[in-house]
Amino acid sequence: MIEISATEIKKQKKLVLTWSITFLTVFPLLIILGLLMRLNQGEKISLGMDNFYVLMTLHGLGMAGILYSIAFAALWYLIGTRYAKLNTGTGYFVFFMVLAGVAGLVIATLIGKFGAGWYLLYPLPFKGTFWPTWATGLSIISLIILGIAWLIGIIHLVYALAKEFGGFSNLLGWQYIRKKEVDRELPPIVLITTVSLVPGVIAFIAGAVFLVMFLLQHFEPTLAFDPLLLKNLIFFFGHTLVNITLYCCIGWVYALLPEFTGRPWKVDKVVVYSWNATFFFILFAYFHHLYMDFVQPLPFQYAGQIASYLSAIPATAITMFGVIAQLYHSKVKWGVIPLSFLLGTAGWAIGGFSAVVDSTIAANKVLHNTLWVPAHFHTYMLGGVVLFILGFLFYLSHSKEEQEKDKMAKFGLWLFVIAVHSFIATFYRGGLRSIPRRYSDYGGIRIEYTHSTGALLAQIASVFIGLLLVGLIIMYVSIIVKLSKRKIPSAGA
Amino acid sequence: MSFIIKTLIFESVFQANPIVMIQFIPLLTIQTFAAVISFIAGALVTLVVFFLIFTSSKEEDKTSAKHKVYKMRGRYFFGLVLSIVIVLLLTLRLLPYEKFQGTPEETVTVVAMQWMWKMGPGLSDKKPAEFGGAGEITLPANKMIRFVVTSSDVNHSFGIYNSKGVLVTQTQAMPQYNNILEHVFDEKGEYHILCLEYCGLPHGLMVGKININ
Ligand code: HEM
Ligand SMILES: [Cu+2]
């Protein structure tokens, strides 16, 4: 087993703080874009159709990117300070490459008005666009830079772990199945990191393939690729990226929650089977994005629904019950950290349930591309991932006692959570009322009921977005105050 | 503001309250069904959260708590697997694909292009870009209509809404492919077509109409 020195820990801490500050800066700006979109759909402001789609594209890409990045950075930090030696130089290299990619996307969208939506469905970025071709080119190149950066980060992390734990199959926990007694216990966070990040590698490779095809198309406009093949690649990439972001967060919930409940949370055979199954569900669930492509081979359609349904088994029976086993009648003190983890798990459960509803082909027929879709993924991203991340940031900034006493932070958290679910409720209601997603406004719809309901829900949403921003600011104050205090004593240590 | 709250409350009661719903069984759409089960699931999760928060204790109660949770988990596991199998068996027959539908009585060609719908009776042998249909079409009620849907440029989605604004069915309109959508219109009057796949600037203005008589 490796010893990690205090100076090494300090270096890793600086790296994770760099990521955290970036996240804390970018996140509210992207929320403001969401607010502007809802205000436009509510007919309270008039952005123009072009600006709406530009903001939508930046919001989607930005959120998916920044959340994945911080989730990855948090795992990197916990592993680099506990289980394996990670090179901070590589860490900063990834950071600056991500920054460069993000800068490219900001220029392509805000200046170049690139507005193809976050998943750039082929051939939309090349046909009938309202932005110049350079903006498409810059977006593609920026995304390639991001993909390479993340790929380097993942490979470094998984490689270091494999070296430390004696081979890749040990990272997946197979020694628990082969042997009665394992030589060395596998920390759950290591297992989960592997199960999340290795599908990530496969997804980034698929992403690289389609981005290179895009690049070819960009320079040779007469090319025509198969749109169904590209749809498969794009959704495999997009779905997997978003999905593993959530699983990364679960990694640190397993690692940190026991510190507050005083109960161990260990890997055993059941946990190994369950996460190895999850590995496959992550890879196959993406088919549920193509149900409305009736020409997609039927076995894939079945695979989509079956994998989506089955993924609920390990997620709920193992992980969520694990959370319950941690907390039920435990002597946990409800500080802001365990609270964020519990509420995040609840968001994950609710968002997961509505995702399962939507992954039913028979229901997808009338829910696909309505507001039900943003409803479900905002529930588990904003109501799940973001709370896990906030919990992690509280973990960085607060001591155990501080997080228990911090009433302000807890108030901010509750306000945020209630406002988040109310905001998302407008998406759910919209989906049930068949309001289409990705409409800059609903004025073009000739069904008066649909138009007025869509606009009204968007107005209500805007109020709750305002409230959730207030909750967020309260938590920010608490995090930033504590972080800046913490820096001074640790500098001397 | 009070109008907003009233609407919100009215809509939630109407949408999510099973007692109110029973009177609307004839209106039981897939959307309503999704609303009811999601609402119940959400309520259950909320209950568990508050239960966990309020039952955490001062004293550590390790063994019996663990035992109880694991017993629950066993039951939950079997219940879940059973319901998954049942729901899969039930729902995997209700697919919108051609194979699972009846024999069509009329065929309509649909071509999507940035940013309009072109529809015409019969199966077109023209290239999508040259097809000359209209954004409005009249079709008979209670007959199985077979829509052959494609696109001449980017992806779109052919979403059919009834006059009350309920999405009744859809299929993607993809270049180079024909998606076959079969549907029986059971109401006379107007249906509307909206594009449900983002296809560029005036995506939200890409509408069409089907008159049923
Ligand atoms: C308070 C926070 C947020 C607000 C107010 C917000 C608002 C919105 C709105 C209004 C849309 C457009 C919906 C439509 O299709 O009509 C949207 C789309 C989207 N949001 Fe958010 N959102 C928030 C948080 C997040 C988070 C945390 C994520 C994390 C992944 C996220 C990812 C996305 C994505 C991927 C899209 C789709 C963009 C597209 O269709 O190309 N959002 N959001
Ligand atoms: Cu369209």
Side-chain angles (χ1 to χ4, degrees):
Chain A
M1 251 201 253
I2 185 172
E3 278 295 324
I4 289 158
S5 68
T7 44
E8 176 63 25
I9 291 179
K10 234 163 90 190
K11 268 164 61 188
Q12 294 290 358
K13 181 125 191 189
K14 229 168 138 188
L15 175 61
V16 79
L17 284 177
T18 314
W19 275 114
S20 305
I21 288 162
T22 314
F23 167 78
L24 290 170
T25 316
V26 172
F27 181 56
L29 296 178
L30 293 172
I31 294 183
I32 305 241
L33 302 189
L35 175 61
L36 291 175
M37 282 192 277
R38 268 333 229 160
L39 283 171
N40 194 64
Q41 290 171 330
E43 297 169 11
K44 290 289 169 196
I45 59 171
S46 182
L47 292 171
M49 285 192 259
D50 53 349
N51 291 323
F52 178 90
Y53 288 117
V54 166
L55 298 189
M56 182 187 87
T57 305
L58 182 57
H59 169 83
L61 282 170
M63 283 290 190
I66 193 75
L67 294 197
Y68 170 74
S69 296
I70 183 82
F72 173 75
L75 280 182
W76 173 293
Y77 170 74
L78 290 171
I79 285 171
T81 52
R82 297 178 179 196
Y83 304 115
K85 176 129 179 48
L86 299 178
N87 185 327
T88 41
T90 312
Y92 280 105
F93 179 72
V94 173
F95 175 79
F96 283 110
M97 261 181 96
V98 167
L99 226 50
V102 169
L105 287 175
V106 170
I107 294 170
T109 49
L110 292 187
I111 297 171
K113 294 215 166 188
F114 178 74
W118 90 278
Y119 52 78
L120 307 101
L121 196 57
Y122 180 85
L124 181 60
F126 307 100
K127 276 200 177 139
T129 62
F130 58 87
W131 56 89
T133 48
W134 70 259
T136 307
L138 180 59
S139 301
I140 298 169
I141 291 169
S142 309
L143 287 170
I144 292 178
I145 293 175
L146 283 173
I148 295 175
W150 288 331
L151 204 54
I152 292 174
I154 295 180
I155 290 172
H156 181 73
L157 185 57
V158 175
Y159 180 74
L161 282 174
K163 221 167 68 186
E164 175 64 24
F165 285 85
F168 182 67
S169 75
N170 280 353
L171 297 185
L172 288 172
W174 292 359
Q175 70 278 31
Y176 283 83
I177 295 162
R178 282 196 302 257
K179 296 184 200 160
K180 272 226 156 62
E181 285 287 314
V182 292
D183 314 328
R184 176 176 178 190
E185 259 185 31
L186 184 68
I189 186 174
V190 174
L191 170 66
I192 297 172
T193 300
T194 313
V195 168
S196 315
L197 294 185
V198 176
V201 172
I202 306 172
F204 287 136
I205 291 172
V209 171
F210 90 69
L211 286 169
V212 168
M213 288 162 98
F214 272 30
L215 214 51
L216 291 174
Q217 174 89 63
H218 179 66
F219 289 114
E220 184 47 67
T222 55
L223 282 175
F225 294 111
D226 184 333
L228 185 60
L229 172 69
L230 271 147
K231 233 181 207 173
N232 274 281
L233 286 171
I234 288 171
F235 281 111
F236 175 62
F237 167 76
H239 173 88
T240 309
L241 173 72
V242 178
N243 206 187
I244 65 174
T245 302
L246 191 130
Y247 284 118
C248 287
C249 301
I250 303 304
W252 72 75
V253 174
Y254 268 78
L256 301 182
L257 196 53
E259 295 183 15
F260 299 92
T261 62
R263 295 179 178 173
W265 197 355
K266 289 191 174 157
V267 170
D268 57 24
K269 255 191 196 168
V270 177
V271 171
V272 169
Y273 280 124
S274 123
W275 281 94
N276 276 266
T278 301
F279 188 102
F280 288 98
F281 302 148
I282 292 178
L283 293 179
F284 288 106
Y286 93 87
F287 285 126
H288 62 215
H289 290 272
L290 284 99
Y291 291 154
M292 292 303 112
D293 291 286
F294 289 16
V295 284
Q296 172 92 333
L298 192 59
F300 292 174
Q301 311 287 28
Y302 284 129
Q305 186 171 338
I306 294 171
S308 308
Y309 272 51
L310 293 183
S311 68
I313 299 175
T316 59
I318 307 306
T319 299
M320 290 181 200
F321 262 90
V323 171
I324 294 176
Q326 279 284 311
L327 293 170
Y328 175 66
H329 277 196
S330 75
K331 57 169 191 208
V332 63
K333 293 219 178 68
W334 288 104
V336 69
I337 298 173
L339 205 53
S340 325
F341 290 164
L342 175 64
L343 295 175
T345 309
W348 177 31
I350 299 172
F353 187 85
S354 44
V356 165
V357 171
D358 195 25
S359 68
T360 310
I361 302 173
N364 189 261
K365 182 179 89 171
V366 297
L367 294 177
H368 185 68
N369 283 353
T370 67
L371 286 180
W372 187 271
V373 180
H376 92 254
F377 72 73
H378 282 85
T379 318
Y380 65 68
M381 295 307 275
L382 188 57
V385 168
V386 168
L387 296 187
F388 294 135
I389 290 171
L390 288 169
F392 175 77
L393 295 177
F394 282 119
Y395 180 81
L396 283 184
S397 56
H398 287 55
S399 72
K400 203 169 164 191
E401 292 71 42
E402 282 170 342
Q403 64 95 24
E404 275 163 21
K405 290 201 201 96
D406 197 337
K407 289 228 171 68
M408 188 176 85
K410 273 198 271 188
F411 172 74
L413 179 68
W414 276 111
L415 180 60
F416 181 76
V417 168
I418 292 168
V420 157
H421 284 285
S422 312
F423 151 62
I424 296 171
T426 68
F427 276 157
Y428 279 115
R429 167 108 327 121
L432 296 166
R433 294 300 189 218
S434 305
I435 314 294
R437 82 182 272 204
R438 296 180 138 188
Y439 269 41
S440 56
D441 61 80
Y442 308 107
I445 300 175
R446 306 259 174 82
I447 315 161
E448 189 37 42
Y449 175 78
T450 308
H451 169 195
S452 57
T453 310
L456 174 65
L457 288 170
Q459 291 165 12
I460 300 172
S462 311
V463 177
F464 289 117
I465 299 171
L467 269 181
L468 71 84
L469 279 170
V470 175
L472 193 67
I473 291 170
I474 295 176
M475 286 188 278
Y476 268 40
V477 171
S478 146
I479 290 175
I480 291 167
V481 166
K482 289 277 169 5
L483 269 183
S484 50
K485 272 194 201 146
R486 181 119 312 156
K487 273 235 172 109
I488 307 154
S490 76
Chain B
M1 194 67 199
S2 78
F3 167 68
I4 293 178
I5 292 171
K6 260 194 339 233
T7 318
L8 203 69
I9 293 173
F10 175 73
E11 291 238 323
S12 358
V13 171
F14 178 79
Q15 188 93 65
N17 184 332
I19 299 163
V20 179
M21 281 235 351
I22 290 170
Q23 303 162 22
F24 290 92
I25 291 275
L27 302 177
L28 189 69
T29 55
I30 300 173
Q31 285 94 334
T32 333
F33 189 69
V36 174
I37 56 170
S38 303
F39 182 81
I40 294 172
L44 273 177
V45 172
T46 314
L47 279 179
V48 173
V49 165
F50 285 107
F51 176 76
L52 287 172
I53 291 178
F54 290 117
T55 56
S56 67
S57 51
K58 299 249 154 29
E59 309 280 300
E60 173 67 12
D61 153 18
K62 219 179 218 160
T63 42
S64 89
K66 202 173 166 184
H67 183 73
K68 272 191 209 152
V69 173
Y70 281 105
K71 213 168 106 189
M72 268 277 280
R73 185 176 83 170
R75 287 197 199 138
Y76 171 82
F77 178 80
F78 284 110
L80 180 65
V81 172
L82 196 69
S83 8
I84 286 181
V85 171
I86 293 172
V87 177
L88 281 177
L89 286 177
L90 288 177
T91 58
L92 283 179
R93 296 144 180 255
L94 306 171
L95 303 188
Y97 311 127
E98 198 180 1
K99 223 175 108 173
F100 299 85
Q101 304 293 327
T103 28
E105 292 163 275
E106 277 193 39
T107 297
V108 175
T109 300
V110 179
V111 174
M113 62 182 274
Q114 284 171 325
W115 289 275
M116 60 198 270
W117 295 101
K118 296 190 290 189
M119 294 178 280
L123 188 62
S124 154
D125 51 10
K126 293 210 179 73
K127 283 193 182 149
E130 286 148 21
F131 175 70
E136 191 167 343
I137 195 169
T138 302
L139 295 169
N142 299 317
K143 280 204 170 153
M144 177 70 81
I145 315 284
R146 178 172 181 262
F147 294 97
V148 181
V149 182
T150 188
S151 161
S152 65
D153 39 53
V154 300
N155 286 280
H156 304 266
S157 187
F158 183 65
I160 303 179
Y161 282 66
N162 71 16
S163 59
K164 295 183 213 73
V166 179
L167 173 60
V168 292
T169 191
Q170 67 173 308
T171 189
Q172 289 267 316
M174 194 178 4
Q176 302 174 37
Y177 286 92
N178 285 327
N179 283 324
I180 311 280
L181 175 71
E182 296 186 328
H183 189 72
V184 178
F185 294 88
D186 47 17
E187 280 169 37
K188 291 194 174 147
E190 280 181 4
Y191 284 77
H192 294 262
I193 298 168
L194 299 190
C195 182
L196 291 183
E197 186 65 63
Y198 173 53
C199 56
L201 197 63
H203 163 57
L205 305 179
M206 187 169 153
V207 295
K209 206 169 180 190
I210 300 177
N211 300 304
I212 302 296
N213 59 27

Coordinates of all heavy atoms in Angstrom, one line a residue, chain A residues 346-393:
Chain A
A346 N -32.2 11.3 -3.3 CA -33.7 11.3 -3.6 C -33.9 11.9 -5.0 O -34.7 11.4 -5.8 CB -34.4 12.2 -2.6
G347 N -33.2 12.9 -5.4 CA -33.3 13.5 -6.7 C -32.9 12.5 -7.8 O -33.6 12.3 -8.8
W348 N -31.9 11.7 -7.5 CA -31.5 10.7 -8.4 C -32.6 9.6 -8.6 O -33.0 9.2 -9.7 CB -30.2 10.0 -7.9 CG -29.7 8.9 -8.7 CD1 -29.9 8.7 -10.1 CD2 -29.0 7.7 -8.2 NE1 -29.3 7.5 -10.4 CE2 -28.7 6.9 -9.3 CE3 -28.5 7.3 -6.9 CZ2 -28.0 5.7 -9.2 CZ3 -27.8 6.2 -6.8 CH2 -27.6 5.3 -7.9
A349 N -33.2 9.3 -7.4 CA -34.3 8.3 -7.5 C -35.5 8.8 -8.3 O -36.0 8.1 -9.2 CB -34.8 7.9 -6.1
I350 N -35.9 10.1 -8.1 CA -37.1 10.6 -8.8 C -36.8 10.7 -10.2 O -37.5 10.3 -11.1 CB -37.5 11.9 -8.1 CG1 -37.9 11.7 -6.7 CG2 -38.7 12.5 -8.9 CD1 -38.2 13.0 -5.9
G351 N -35.6 11.3 -10.5 CA -35.2 11.5 -11.9 C -35.1 10.2 -12.6 O -35.4 10.0 -13.8
G352 N -34.5 9.2 -11.9 CA -34.4 7.9 -12.5 C -35.7 7.2 -12.8 O -35.9 6.6 -13.8
F353 N -36.7 7.4 -11.9 CA -38.0 6.9 -12.1 C -38.6 7.5 -13.4 O -39.2 6.7 -14.2 CB -38.9 7.0 -10.9 CG -40.2 6.3 -11.1 CD1 -40.3 5.0 -10.7 CD2 -41.3 6.9 -11.6 CE1 -41.5 4.3 -10.9 CE2 -42.5 6.3 -11.8 CZ -42.6 4.9 -11.4
S354 N -38.6 8.8 -13.5 CA -39.2 9.4 -14.6 C -38.5 9.0 -15.9 O -39.0 9.0 -17.0 CB -39.4 10.9 -14.5 OG -38.3 11.5 -14.0
A355 N -37.2 8.7 -15.8 CA -36.4 8.3 -16.9 C -36.9 6.9 -17.4 O -37.0 6.6 -18.6 CB -34.9 8.2 -16.6
V356 N -37.2 6.0 -16.4 CA -37.7 4.7 -16.7 C -39.0 4.8 -17.4 O -39.3 4.1 -18.4 CB -37.7 3.8 -15.5 CG1 -38.6 2.6 -15.7 CG2 -36.3 3.4 -15.0
V357 N -39.9 5.7 -16.9 CA -41.2 5.9 -17.6 C -40.9 6.3 -19.1 O -41.5 5.7 -20.0 CB -42.0 7.0 -16.9 CG1 -43.2 7.4 -17.7 CG2 -42.4 6.6 -15.5
D358 N -40.0 7.2 -19.3 CA -39.8 7.6 -20.7 C -39.0 6.6 -21.5 O -39.1 6.6 -22.7 CB -38.9 8.9 -20.6 CG -38.9 9.6 -21.9 OD1 -39.9 9.5 -22.7 OD2 -38.0 10.4 -22.2
S359 N -38.4 5.7 -20.8 CA -37.6 4.6 -21.6 C -38.5 3.5 -21.9 O -38.1 2.4 -22.4 CB -36.4 4.2 -20.8 OG -36.8 3.5 -19.7
T360 N -39.8 3.6 -21.6 CA -40.8 2.6 -22.1 C -41.3 3.0 -23.5 O -41.8 4.1 -23.6 CB -42.1 2.7 -21.1 OG1 -41.6 2.6 -19.8 CG2 -43.0 1.6 -21.4
I361 N -41.0 2.2 -24.4 CA -41.2 2.6 -25.8 C -42.7 3.1 -26.0 O -42.9 4.2 -26.6 CB -41.0 1.4 -26.8 CG1 -39.5 1.0 -26.6 CG2 -41.2 1.9 -28.2 CD1 -39.1 -0.3 -27.3
A362 N -43.6 2.4 -25.4 CA -45.0 2.8 -25.6 C -45.3 4.2 -25.1 O -46.2 4.9 -25.6 CB -45.9 1.7 -24.9
A363 N -44.6 4.6 -24.0 CA -44.8 5.9 -23.5 C -44.0 7.0 -24.2 O -44.3 8.1 -24.4 CB -44.5 5.9 -22.0
N364 N -42.8 6.5 -24.6 CA -41.9 7.4 -25.3 C -42.5 8.1 -26.5 O -42.2 9.2 -26.9 CB -40.6 6.6 -25.7 CG -39.5 7.5 -26.2 OD1 -39.3 7.7 -27.4 ND2 -38.8 8.2 -25.3
K365 N -43.4 7.3 -27.2 CA -44.1 7.8 -28.3 C -44.8 9.2 -28.1 O -44.9 10.0 -29.0 CB -45.2 6.7 -28.7 CG -46.0 7.0 -29.8 CD -47.0 5.8 -30.1 CE -48.3 6.1 -29.3 NZ -49.4 5.1 -29.6
V366 N -45.3 9.4 -26.9 CA -45.9 10.7 -26.6 C -45.1 11.5 -25.6 O -45.6 12.6 -25.2 CB -47.4 10.5 -26.1 CG1 -48.2 9.8 -27.1 CG2 -47.4 9.7 -24.8
L367 N -44.0 11.1 -25.2 CA -43.1 11.9 -24.3 C -41.8 12.4 -24.9 O -41.3 13.4 -24.5 CB -42.8 11.1 -23.0 CG -44.0 10.8 -22.1 CD1 -43.5 9.9 -20.9 CD2 -44.7 12.0 -21.6
H368 N -41.4 11.6 -25.9 CA -40.1 12.0 -26.6 C -40.1 13.4 -27.1 O -41.1 13.8 -27.8 CB -39.9 11.0 -27.8 CG -38.6 11.2 -28.4 ND1 -37.4 10.9 -27.8 CD2 -38.3 11.6 -29.7 CE1 -36.4 11.1 -28.6 NE2 -36.9 11.6 -29.8
N369 N -39.1 14.1 -26.8 CA -38.9 15.5 -27.2 C -40.0 16.4 -26.7 O -40.2 17.5 -27.3 CB -38.7 15.6 -28.7 CG -37.2 15.2 -29.0 OD1 -36.4 15.0 -28.1 ND2 -36.9 15.1 -30.3
T370 N -40.7 16.1 -25.7 CA -41.5 17.0 -25.0 C -40.7 17.5 -23.8 O -39.6 17.0 -23.6 CB -42.8 16.4 -24.5 OG1 -42.5 15.5 -23.4 CG2 -43.6 15.7 -25.5
L371 N -41.3 18.4 -23.0 CA -40.5 18.9 -21.9 C -40.3 17.8 -20.8 O -39.6 18.0 -19.8 CB -41.2 20.1 -21.2 CG -41.1 21.4 -22.1 CD1 -41.8 22.5 -21.4 CD2 -39.6 21.8 -22.3
W372 N -40.9 16.6 -21.0 CA -40.6 15.5 -20.0 C -39.1 15.2 -20.0 O -38.6 14.8 -19.0 CB -41.5 14.3 -20.4 CG -41.4 13.2 -19.4 CD1 -40.4 12.2 -19.4 CD2 -42.2 13.0 -18.3 NE1 -40.7 11.3 -18.4 CE2 -41.7 11.8 -17.7 CE3 -43.3 13.6 -17.8 CZ2 -42.4 11.3 -16.5 CZ3 -43.9 13.1 -16.6 CH2 -43.4 11.9 -16.0
V373 N -38.5 15.3 -21.2 CA -37.1 14.9 -21.3 C -36.2 15.9 -20.5 O -35.5 15.4 -19.6 CB -36.7 14.9 -22.8 CG1 -35.2 14.5 -22.9 CG2 -37.6 13.9 -23.5
P374 N -36.2 17.2 -20.7 CA -35.5 18.0 -19.8 C -35.9 17.8 -18.3 O -35.1 18.0 -17.4 CB -35.7 19.5 -20.3 CG -36.7 19.4 -21.4 CD -36.8 18.0 -21.8
A375 N -37.2 17.5 -18.1 CA -37.7 17.3 -16.7 C -36.9 16.2 -16.1 O -36.3 16.4 -15.0 CB -39.1 17.0 -16.7
H376 N -36.8 15.1 -16.8 CA -36.1 14.0 -16.1 C -34.6 14.2 -15.9 O -34.1 13.9 -14.9 CB -36.5 12.6 -16.7 CG -35.5 12.1 -17.7 ND1 -35.8 12.2 -19.1 CD2 -34.2 11.7 -17.6 CE1 -34.7 11.7 -19.7 NE2 -33.8 11.4 -18.9
F377 N -34.0 14.7 -16.9 CA -32.5 14.8 -16.7 C -32.2 16.0 -15.8 O -31.1 16.0 -15.2 CB -31.7 14.7 -18.0 CG -31.8 15.9 -19.0 CD1 -31.1 17.1 -18.7 CD2 -32.4 15.8 -20.2 CE1 -31.2 18.2 -19.6 CE2 -32.5 16.9 -21.1 CZ -31.9 18.1 -20.8
H378 N -33.0 17.1 -15.8 CA -32.7 18.1 -14.8 C -32.9 17.5 -13.4 O -32.3 18.0 -12.5 CB -33.5 19.3 -15.0 CG -33.0 20.2 -16.2 ND1 -33.3 20.0 -17.5 CD2 -32.1 21.3 -16.2 CE1 -32.7 20.9 -18.2 NE2 -32.0 21.7 -17.5
T379 N -33.9 16.6 -13.2 CA -34.1 16.1 -11.9 C -32.8 15.4 -11.4 O -32.4 15.6 -10.3 CB -35.3 15.1 -11.8 OG1 -36.3 15.6 -12.6 CG2 -35.7 14.9 -10.4
Y380 N -32.2 14.5 -12.2 CA -31.1 13.9 -11.6 C -29.8 14.6 -11.8 O -28.8 14.3 -11.1 CB -31.0 12.4 -11.9 CG -30.8 12.0 -13.3 CD1 -29.6 12.2 -14.0 CD2 -31.8 11.2 -14.0 CE1 -29.4 11.8 -15.3 CE2 -31.6 10.8 -15.3 CZ -30.4 11.1 -15.9 OH -30.2 10.7 -17.2
M381 N -29.7 15.6 -12.7 CA -28.5 16.4 -12.8 C -28.6 17.5 -11.7 O -27.7 17.6 -10.9 CB -28.3 17.0 -14.1 CG -28.1 16.0 -15.3 SD -26.7 14.8 -15.0 CE -25.3 15.7 -15.5
L382 N -29.6 18.3 -11.8 CA -29.7 19.4 -10.9 C -30.1 19.0 -9.5 O -29.6 19.5 -8.5 CB -30.7 20.4 -11.5 CG -30.9 21.8 -10.8 CD1 -29.6 22.5 -10.8 CD2 -31.9 22.6 -11.6
G383 N -31.1 18.0 -9.4 CA -31.5 17.6 -8.1 C -30.7 16.5 -7.5 O -30.8 16.1 -6.4
G384 N -29.8 15.9 -8.3 CA -28.9 14.8 -7.9 C -27.4 15.2 -7.9 O -26.8 15.6 -6.9
V385 N -26.9 15.2 -9.1 CA -25.4 15.5 -9.3 C -25.0 16.8 -8.6 O -24.0 16.8 -7.9 CB -25.1 15.5 -10.8 CG1 -23.7 16.1 -11.1 CG2 -25.2 14.1 -11.4
V386 N -25.8 17.9 -8.9 CA -25.4 19.2 -8.3 C -25.3 19.1 -6.8 O -24.4 19.6 -6.1 CB -26.3 20.3 -8.8 CG1 -26.1 21.6 -8.0 CG2 -26.0 20.5 -10.3
L387 N -26.3 18.4 -6.2 CA -26.3 18.3 -4.7 C -25.1 17.4 -4.2 O -24.5 17.8 -3.2 CB -27.6 17.7 -4.2 CG -28.9 18.5 -4.5 CD1 -30.0 17.9 -3.8 CD2 -28.7 19.9 -4.0
F388 N -24.8 16.4 -4.9 CA -23.6 15.6 -4.5 C -22.4 16.5 -4.6 O -21.5 16.4 -3.8 CB -23.4 14.4 -5.5 CG -24.5 13.4 -5.3 CD1 -25.1 12.8 -6.4 CD2 -25.0 13.0 -4.1 CE1 -26.1 11.8 -6.3 CE2 -26.0 12.0 -3.9 CZ -26.6 11.4 -5.0
I389 N -22.3 17.3 -5.7 CA -21.1 18.2 -5.8 C -21.1 19.2 -4.7 O -20.0 19.5 -4.1 CB -21.2 18.9 -7.2 CG1 -20.9 17.8 -8.3 CG2 -20.1 20.0 -7.3 CD1 -21.1 18.3 -9.7
L390 N -22.2 19.8 -4.4 CA -22.2 20.8 -3.3 C -21.8 20.1 -2.0 O -21.1 20.6 -1.2 CB -23.6 21.4 -3.2 CG -24.0 22.4 -4.3 CD1 -25.5 22.7 -4.2 CD2 -23.2 23.6 -4.2
G391 N -22.3 18.9 -1.8 CA -21.9 18.1 -0.6 C -20.4 17.9 -0.6 O -19.7 18.1 0.4
F392 N -19.8 17.6 -1.7 CA -18.4 17.5 -1.8 C -17.7 18.8 -1.5 O -16.7 18.9 -0.8 CB -17.9 17.0 -3.2 CG -16.4 16.9 -3.4 CD1 -15.7 15.9 -2.8 CD2 -15.8 17.9 -4.1 CE1 -14.3 15.8 -2.9 CE2 -14.4 17.8 -4.2 CZ -13.7 16.8 -3.7
L393 N -18.2 19.9 -2.0 CA -17.6 21.2 -1.8 C -17.7 21.6 -0.3 O -16.7 22.2 0.3 CB -18.2 22.3 -2.7 CG -18.0 22.1 -4.2 CD1 -18.7 23.2 -4.9 CD2 -16.5 22.1 -4.5

